[in-house]
Amino acid sequence: MNVAWNDSTPIYRQLRDRVVAMILDGVLKQGDALPSVRQVAADFQINPITVSKAYQELVDENLVEKRRGLGMYVTDGARDALLQSERERFLREEWPALHARLQRLGLDLRELLATVGQREPGDRS
């Protein structure tokens, strides 16, 4: 897996966010085991303490659970809880700025939605 770490955010936080994204995307489902701390540390060439800190945040948020001697597992209802909290966070933190920018640019939401899918695949212009 190719990883580019962002210098503005702690690596443990970025790792936590990657696991959250995997849960939201359905890559990790309830009951699935997370890769071991040692495996993640080796794969990404980071300190195992960094991985442990990321995993502990997920435990603290009740998204994963520790099973003694077995590892970490995605909890039942983790995806639903994440969807709710991420939607609330988006509406509280990201939407106001996005909405303000749309207004500054004079873009109507219906007009913007009508453009979805009009670009050619691979078009980056």
Side-chain angles (χ1 to χ4, degrees):
M1 184 182 317
N2 191 7
V3 177
W5 300 113
N6 177 339
D7 289 339
S8 65
T9 306
I11 291 175
Y12 81 89
R13 188 71 181 168
Q14 293 176 62
L15 185 58
R16 176 243 176 238
D17 291 346
R18 286 175 192 269
V19 174
V20 164
M22 291 173 72
I23 293 170
L24 287 171
D25 292 342
V27 175
L28 288 172
K29 297 174 178 40
Q30 66 183 29
D32 285 354
L34 272 60
S36 73
V37 169
R38 288 181 182 174
Q39 184 63 51
V40 173
D43 288 349
F44 296 136
Q45 298 180 342
I46 56 178
N47 191 314
I49 295 172
T50 301
V51 180
S52 293
K53 189 169 182 177
Y55 280 10
Q56 187 58 50
E57 279 205 357
L58 295 166
V59 169
D60 293 346
E61 296 171 42
N62 296 317
L63 300 174
V64 301
E65 63 183 354
K66 293 180 188 179
R67 295 184 186 164
R68 189 175 178 117
L70 298 174
M72 302 276 197
Y73 291 82
V74 179
T75 59
D76 291 345
R79 186 173 188 278
D80 293 337
L82 276 171
L83 280 173
Q84 181 179 349
S85 67
E86 289 295 306
R87 286 173 178 162
E88 289 171 3
R89 187 189 62 75
F90 172 80
L91 291 172
R92 184 181 62 251
E93 297 175 12
E94 295 178 41
W95 175 245
L98 181 58
H99 184 256
R101 177 131 194 232
L102 291 172
Q103 286 185 320
R104 277 193 303 278
L105 296 174
L107 291 171
D108 178 75
L109 190 55
R110 287 181 298 271
E111 176 186 345
L112 187 62
L113 290 173
T115 66
V116 174
Q118 290 181 358
R119 292 175 49 190
E120 293 292 321
D123 181 16
R124 296 191 180 260
S125 57

